[in-house]
Amino acid sequence: MTAYDVIALGEPLIEVATGEPFAHGVPATLGVSGDVVNAAAAAAAAGARVAIIARVATGELGDAVVARIRELGIDDALVQRVRGQQGVYLLHSDPSGQRQFSYARAGSVGSTLSPADLDADALAAAGAVLASGITTALSPSAHDAVLAAARLTSRFVYDPNFRPRLTTSAAAAAVLTEVAPLAALLTPSAPAETGALLGTGDPAAAVVRLRELGAGAVAVTCGDRGVHVSCGTRQDRFQPAVPAPAVIDQTGAGDVFAGTVTARLALGDSLDDAVRLGAAAASLAVGGQGGTGFIADLQEVRTHAGAA
């Protein structure tokens, strides 16, 4: 059995991206994304041996997903190929960060992920397991798969990744309460996400609440300001943001942060060092189009973080 540094759970998606608002005749680019792919790609680029646990459709779209996963350096040995609909989303974005999403994932094979798809031995042996609130919101079985994986691993990282089109703030907050005691690290964003799930846009107050819920550590991302980091009994610290050389598309930046941090923790970095590299990787990622349009390698991330 291959020993993985990071295993990520979720739904890979076909991405149809356009620089213009949705309309007939608007040119678009086909890609492969989804939070699990974005995060796993970043983890692999950060030096980790990475696998994805997911369900992907048979047929040409599923073939394209698997080919891209492999191209990104991710092991697909734990991916199940299933007959049915491959999840798809359409994305319009511009450099200012204005984005418009439209999903076609209801009833997709990815949403049928369940505890039966988990490899218990692989999860127990992994350096870290990463999942997000998007996956828990896909279906009751996907929610159960995330909770089961969290209980099987020694280091579970959870990104709340709240999406109002998938779930309500009350339901997402309830899942966060469930997951927090199982999490070595939570990576919510502020102010919008912490406001919706915890009732506060203040990252320091959010940290207090999440530590009270049982989280081992918390890294609250605050956009272009930086990251509020809390770990153990030491004083919290603030990691300033690393300025982005170019901003083309902000899709997936949070996923890249979570994937990079998870990988570096699994490989032995301190939380502070992992967060510093995660912030640098995310600031580079916004220079590409789409969720995996630009995933920088570890050397480039280190250089970028050092220059900042």
Side-chain angles (χ1 to χ4, degrees):
M1 181 185 72
T2 302
Y4 299 107
D5 299 309
V6 175
I7 297 177
L9 286 76
E11 180 181 26
L13 295 168
I14 292 290
E15 175 189 80
V16 182
T18 173
E20 303 176 33
F22 300 143
H24 178 75
V26 170
T29 301
L30 189 72
V32 174
S33 188
D35 66 305
V36 66
V37 175
N38 306 337
R49 294 164 297 179
V50 183
I52 284 178
I53 293 179
R55 288 188 165 202
V56 171
T58 56
E60 291 86 350
L61 289 181
D63 292 344
V65 169
V66 171
R68 179 59 172 160
I69 287 171
R70 292 172 178 168
E71 186 179 63
L72 290 167
I74 304 163
D75 194 325
D76 66 323
L78 304 181
V79 171
Q80 306 291 325
R81 300 298 300 274
V82 182
R83 290 177 61 86
Q85 173 193 333
Q86 176 61 46
V88 176
Y89 78 100
L90 286 77
L91 163 69
H92 155 61
S93 64
D94 63 38
S96 70
Q98 297 300 315
R99 293 180 289 171
Q100 179 182 1
F101 294 89
S102 181
Y103 292 93
R105 72 196 312 177
S108 66
V109 297
S111 68
T112 65
L113 183 73
S114 78
D117 298 313
L118 304 181
D119 185 320
D121 291 338
L123 288 164
V129 172
L130 171 63
S132 88
I134 290 177
T135 305
T136 60
L138 292 177
S139 66
S141 66
H143 163 274
D144 292 348
V146 170
L147 269 290
R151 294 185 176 103
L152 285 167
T153 182
S154 59
R155 181 186 283 116
F156 181 63
V157 179
Y158 184 73
D159 179 3
N161 228 341
F162 174 56
R163 294 291 183 270
R165 290 193 177 192
L166 283 176
T167 187
T168 65
S169 58
V175 174
L176 184 57
T177 299
E178 258 187 309
V179 167
L182 305 172
L185 175 66
L186 296 174
T187 63
S189 63
E193 189 169 72
T194 58
L197 303 187
L198 298 169
T200 178
D202 177 13
V207 161
V208 170
R209 176 63 178 142
L210 292 171
R211 296 300 300 277
E212 289 174 346
L213 289 175
V218 183
V220 182
T221 58
C222 305
D224 59 6
R225 289 179 51 220
V227 186
H228 189 108
V229 185
S230 176
C231 179
T233 57
R234 60 149 222 205
Q235 185 175 359
D236 293 359
R237 72 179 292 270
F238 195 79
Q239 166 65 50
V242 181
V247 180
I248 294 174
D249 182 1
Q250 298 182 47
T251 303
D255 306 329
V256 169
F257 173 81
T260 303
V261 172
T262 302
R264 296 315 308 172
L265 289 175
L267 293 169
D269 285 9
S270 69
L271 179 59
D272 285 344
D273 286 344
V275 166
R276 180 175 57 85
L277 292 176
S283 80
L284 289 170
V286 301
Q289 182 71 50
T292 61
F294 182 44
I295 304 293
D297 63 31
L298 182 58
Q299 183 55 55
E300 187 170 3
V301 170
R302 288 192 190 282
T303 299
H304 184 49

